[in-house]
Amino acid sequence: MSERQSQTSWGRAHHDEGGHEYHEVYGYEARNAYAYPGAPAYVDSRAVPPAPAVHVPQQAQAPYHETYDPYAETYETYDPYYEPYAPAPEPVPEPAPSYTLPAVPESAWSVDTRRSKLLGRGVLLCILLIQAGLSLRLHRTAFQDEALYIASGHYELDNLLHGTKLPVDFASYFSGHPKLYPVLAALVDDRFGLTGVRLMSLLFMLGATGLLYSFTRRLFNLRAALGAAALFSVVMATSVLGNLATYDAMAVFLLALAAWLVVRTDRMNAAAVLLAAPPAALACGVKYASGLYLPTLVLLAVLTAHRHRGLRALVRGVVLALGCGALLAAGYRLSGPLGGVSATTTDRAHGTDTALTLLRRSAEWGGLVFLAALAGTVAYALRGRMGEMPWIAGATSGRWRRTGLGIVLTGTALLAPAYQVHLQTQISLYKHIGFGLLFAAPLAGLGLSRLVGPHFRHPQLGIMLYVLTLVFGMVQAQQTYSWPDSTRMIATLRPLVDRTGHYLAEEQEVPGYYLRERTDWGQWQNTYFYDYRAKDGKQYSGPDAFEHAVRDGEFDVIVLHGLVTPDTYAAVRKGLRGNSHYRLAAVIPFSTAGGDKAYRIWVKQ
């Protein structure tokens, strides 16, 4: 067998006839063995005879990277840095998971953890306790409207149960159906008195705040929900309505319930939105002015479903509108004539208050919340999410939908001021402001959340906004919840009245309510409207009618203080001048936010 030899840098290479290469390595010590190409050349100064070459066929050698390591055989004993080669283990396939993680929903409210939900409910409880305290701190005797609705409820209840004739057609001038809230208030009054009826209003307002928190959390997230509830709970309208025995609190609660049902059924079948129709229609029956907010509910039904249904969401709005319309038509047909709808709502007499005065009042009572809602609308339109939770999957709503939702909810706060500017009167504006703020509050809560920033970067800004709203609300509520204390006046009148006399009172509803066990409703004459045929045979109306009736000794008792109808007060004082029919029986002072005044009671001699 012939072979070829060649010299390399690390030894002498030999080739056999088959072309296989084997090497004679100039060794290190006498135990020099076989090396492989690429191994380092060790040269010793001592002359060592070369070892005889041994032929190792290439095909007989195991692959280097698996088992054969000639470097280990040669230098394992002498190289202190040598580490035996260990082949990498084969990767072991991971077992298939026994469960599948659900897809992360696209709205932030649904990824809240159990801990954050419990924390949110705890904070909400604190908000509700503060709201209750702000309402319960207000103390007065019955307000004129409270006395009117509760007393009328007693007469309506007697009419329903015993067929007793009503002393007056309350439906002709009430701004809500007299057989709804007044009857409920009368039932509570029979058992718990005026305090019980006011507590019922507080429960209605607390329920409205809770529902506001719930549907705001559904629309946006937990932080926005807490901000909305916190701001709405401390505004003047919320504090006053929470301790006022009128049907406004019940109407606000029903509107909040309707809005919650609209938002809660956004992913259900279009027919599910009909669940919101009964509370919405009932709110309109309780207070006719609630109909002003039905378009907001319809648009909200469309906007909340548009993200999931596209243009088919329009069907949802049509279904809700038809449902509310059908219920209102049926209720109107069953209830009979309701003159109060036009007298107090659709065709109400215009006043003399200027638009500037009404806008200024509206800004004082709801301006901070409205500005927060406006800021929230702009921020939401520009960016759907703050970005502090990047792990949330799914795209946010489209910009047009976000903009539309912000405009609808925030713009609703302007409906009551605009309507009262049209009527040129600020009567009940302090109550109607609360209706619009209920719908603007979600965007106000979002604005508060964006003001604080991601990861609570600027908490002092949110605290400042809340504290300002709280302080303004407390001061305004104290000023608004101010009317004459009638305790001493009622005590003075009690022995002077019976069921045979005719009595004139500037706020006849108050003595008519407190003294209903001794008098009938029809015995009390208010100081607003009066027609009288005098003894001289002439017919008079307005202030002249009161003047001539007093001159003729028409009334057995006269109770005036001059704050409600100053023109009538002046006419009566004119008729009393030099009048031998009456004597001044008592002067009872009282204090209000407007100053010090006094009840004056004249008794017929």
Side-chain angles (χ1 to χ4, degrees):
M1 178 173 58
S2 63
E3 62 179 12
R4 292 179 290 111
Q5 297 183 2
S6 62
Q7 189 71 27
T8 67
S9 61
W10 57 278
R12 180 176 296 171
H14 301 269
H15 301 271
D16 60 10
E17 293 179 355
H20 302 290
E21 180 179 343
Y22 61 94
H23 303 273
E24 178 183 347
V25 181
Y26 302 122
Y28 178 84
E29 300 291 350
R31 296 183 63 234
N32 191 333
Y34 307 104
Y36 53 87
Y42 292 90
V43 180
D44 191 25
S45 59
R46 294 173 295 178
V48 180
V54 179
H55 172 68
V56 180
Q58 185 174 354
Q59 61 271 24
Q61 298 178 0
Y64 145 72
H65 64 278
E66 293 182 357
T67 58
Y68 180 66
D69 191 354
Y71 183 78
E73 296 179 7
T74 306
Y75 304 111
E76 179 179 8
T77 306
Y78 309 100
D79 189 353
Y81 300 103
Y82 172 76
E83 293 182 1
Y85 173 78
E90 294 291 335
V92 180
E94 297 182 0
S98 59
Y99 63 92
T100 303
L101 291 174
V104 180
E106 58 273 3
S107 56
W109 65 268
S110 57
V111 299
D112 293 331
T113 63
R114 176 181 176 84
R115 180 180 178 182
S116 65
K117 290 178 182 178
L118 291 176
L119 180 62
R121 291 168 184 171
V123 176
L124 175 64
L125 178 60
C126 295
I127 291 172
L128 295 178
L129 290 176
I130 293 173
Q131 176 182 340
L134 292 175
S135 292
L136 294 176
R137 62 186 279 270
L138 305 174
H139 295 285
R140 283 285 172 173
T141 54
F143 180 52
Q144 180 180 4
D145 290 349
E146 293 179 302
L148 172 62
Y149 300 142
I150 298 175
S152 67
H154 286 288
Y155 292 112
E156 292 284 354
L157 191 60
D158 289 340
N159 176 260
L160 290 173
L161 297 179
H162 310 295
T164 306
K165 184 180 179 180
L166 294 173
V168 65
D169 184 13
F170 297 109
S172 64
Y173 67 97
F174 270 24
S175 55
H177 199 289
K179 286 184 170 58
L180 293 177
Y181 175 82
V183 171
L184 176 62
L187 290 172
V188 177
D189 180 66
D190 276 337
R191 185 67 179 257
F192 304 104
L194 176 63
T195 301
V197 186
R198 287 176 171 175
L199 286 176
M200 181 176 68
S201 295
L202 177 61
L203 292 178
F204 280 135
M205 293 307 296
L206 292 175
T209 304
L211 291 170
L212 168 64
Y213 163 83
S214 182
F215 72 74
T216 304
R217 184 167 166 265
R218 174 88 174 185
L219 284 173
F220 304 118
N221 53 42
L222 179 63
R223 288 177 56 181
L226 291 175
L231 293 177
F232 179 75
S233 66
V234 297
V235 295
M236 180 272 298
T238 303
S239 298
V240 172
L241 294 182
N243 201 18
L244 196 66
T246 62
Y247 36 53
D248 299 273
M250 184 177 179
V252 170
F253 171 78
L254 291 171
L255 288 175
L257 178 59
W260 180 80
L261 288 170
V262 166
V263 176
R264 189 66 183 83
T265 59
D266 59 346
R267 302 184 188 185
M268 299 181 184
N269 188 278
V273 78
L274 287 174
L275 293 173
L282 185 58
C284 296
V286 170
K287 185 176 179 67
Y288 303 140
S290 301
L292 196 63
Y293 304 96
L294 290 183
T296 298
L297 293 174
V298 173
L299 292 175
L300 186 62
V302 175
L303 291 171
T304 52
H306 181 268
R307 181 177 180 180
H308 314 289
R309 303 176 184 275
L311 292 178
R312 291 180 299 168
L314 294 173
V315 177
R316 197 164 178 261
V318 172
V319 169
L320 179 60
L322 292 177
C324 292
L327 290 176
L328 289 174
Y332 184 81
R333 185 176 181 85
L334 292 174
S335 64
L338 294 175
V341 176
S342 59
T344 65
T345 307
T346 59
D347 194 22
R348 186 169 183 164
H350 288 220
T352 58
D353 296 318
T354 64
L356 183 61
T357 299
L358 294 171
L359 292 177
R360 179 173 57 84
R361 287 292 189 184
S362 301
E364 291 175 358
W365 294 331
L368 280 176
V369 176
F370 178 76
L371 289 177
L374 195 61
T377 299
V378 174
Y380 189 53
L382 295 177
R383 189 173 184 181
R385 188 178 293 133
M386 262 195 302
E388 68 173 352
M389 293 181 289
W391 57 87
I392 297 179
T396 59
S397 307
R399 175 166 294 182
W400 286 110
R401 176 190 173 274
R402 301 198 307 267
T403 304
L405 182 63
I407 291 175
V408 167
L409 293 179
T410 303
T412 303
L414 300 175
L415 293 181
Y419 178 64
Q420 305 232 200
V421 167
H422 166 70
L423 294 177
Q424 297 179 317
T425 179
Q426 58 177 328
I427 296 176
S428 299
L429 177 61
Y430 72 96
K431 297 186 293 184
H432 296 164
I433 284 289
F435 287 71
L437 294 182
L438 171 70
F439 291 95
L443 270 300
L446 185 65
L448 177 63
S449 177
R450 297 293 176 90
L451 185 65
V452 172
H455 308 290
F456 296 92
R457 184 175 300 169
H458 307 292
Q460 69 277 10
L461 298 180
I463 294 173
M464 182 175 64
L465 175 59
Y466 173 74
V467 170
L468 285 175
T469 308
L470 170 64
V471 171
F472 285 150
M474 290 177 62
V475 174
Q476 293 163 358
Q478 193 67 48
Q479 293 174 346
T480 304
Y481 205 88
S482 178
W483 49 81
D485 189 327
S486 60
T487 304
R488 293 177 58 192
M489 182 266 290
I490 296 298
T492 303
L493 286 180
R494 193 175 297 277
L496 300 177
V497 298
D498 54 30
R499 293 191 180 275
T500 60
H502 191 197
Y503 312 114
L504 174 65
E506 196 161 2
E507 295 170 317
Q508 55 93 8
E509 296 89 352
V510 176
Y513 163 68
Y514 280 114
L515 301 173
R516 64 183 183 276
E517 78 282 357
R518 297 180 61 86
T519 62
D520 292 327
W521 189 263
Q523 292 179 253
W524 294 94
Q525 171 62 50
N526 62 41
T527 56
Y528 292 102
F529 312 103
Y530 189 48
D531 292 324
Y532 176 69
R533 180 176 294 276
K535 292 181 178 180
D536 58 7
K538 295 182 179 180
Q539 185 75 25
Y540 297 94
S541 62
D544 292 337
F546 289 104
E547 179 185 348
H548 286 81
V550 170
R551 289 189 184 279
D552 294 342
E554 175 67 19
F555 304 108
D556 295 287
V557 177
I558 301 174
V559 184
L560 299 175
H561 54 66
L563 290 177
V564 179
T565 53
D567 293 340
T568 300
Y569 180 75
V572 170
R573 292 297 297 268
K574 185 178 179 181
L576 289 170
R577 192 175 298 121
N579 193 329
S580 61
H581 293 296
Y582 295 95
R583 65 178 177 88
L584 182 63
V587 177
I588 305 172
F590 60 83
S591 298
T592 65
D596 296 333
K597 279 284 189 176
Y599 282 108
R600 285 176 167 79
I601 301 176
W602 290 271
V603 179
K604 188 176 181 180
Q605 301 187 97

